[in-house]
Amino acid sequence: MPIVKLTKKVVDAVVEEPRRGKQPLLLWDKEVKGFGLLVTPAGTRSYIPQYRIGGRGTPTKRVTIGRHGSPWTPENAWRRL
């Protein structure tokens, strides 16, 4: 799972064509821990936070904030956290 600085330019460049038949791609932000971008095999880009309630021994959870595009940019999505 690559760790990059998520910017609008980076997110726009992630998928030029659909990722058919491949696993979902997760990109994590370098500056905001637990904030990332999920790219589905169909090419849909969504912003997600990953969190854990209860400490190290508990499983992580992910929630979709919204799809990339108006009004969602990386900056708007992480401010919603």
Side-chain angles (χ1 to χ4, degrees):
M1 290 186 251
I3 298 174
V4 297
K5 170 121 174 75
L6 284 179
T7 62
K8 185 174 182 324
K9 185 175 180 179
V10 169
V11 174
D12 286 339
V14 168
V15 175
E16 292 297 324
E17 60 186 53
R19 301 172 41 81
R20 290 185 183 93
K22 297 182 181 179
Q23 295 290 333
L25 173 67
L26 284 167
L27 296 174
W28 298 106
D29 190 67
K30 186 185 281 186
E31 295 177 4
V32 182
K33 187 175 180 176
F35 174 68
L37 178 76
L38 173 68
V39 183
T40 66
T44 303
R45 295 166 286 185
S46 300
Y47 298 104
I48 59 168
Q50 178 171 288
Y51 62 96
R52 182 185 314 251
I53 297 176
R56 272 190 214 177
T58 60
T60 58
K61 297 183 181 199
R62 295 182 186 143
V63 178
T64 301
I65 295 173
R67 285 185 174 182
H68 176 67
S70 183
W72 298 111
T73 63
E75 294 81 18
N76 290 343
W78 74 256
R79 284 185 189 140
R80 180 157 185 226
L81 295 178

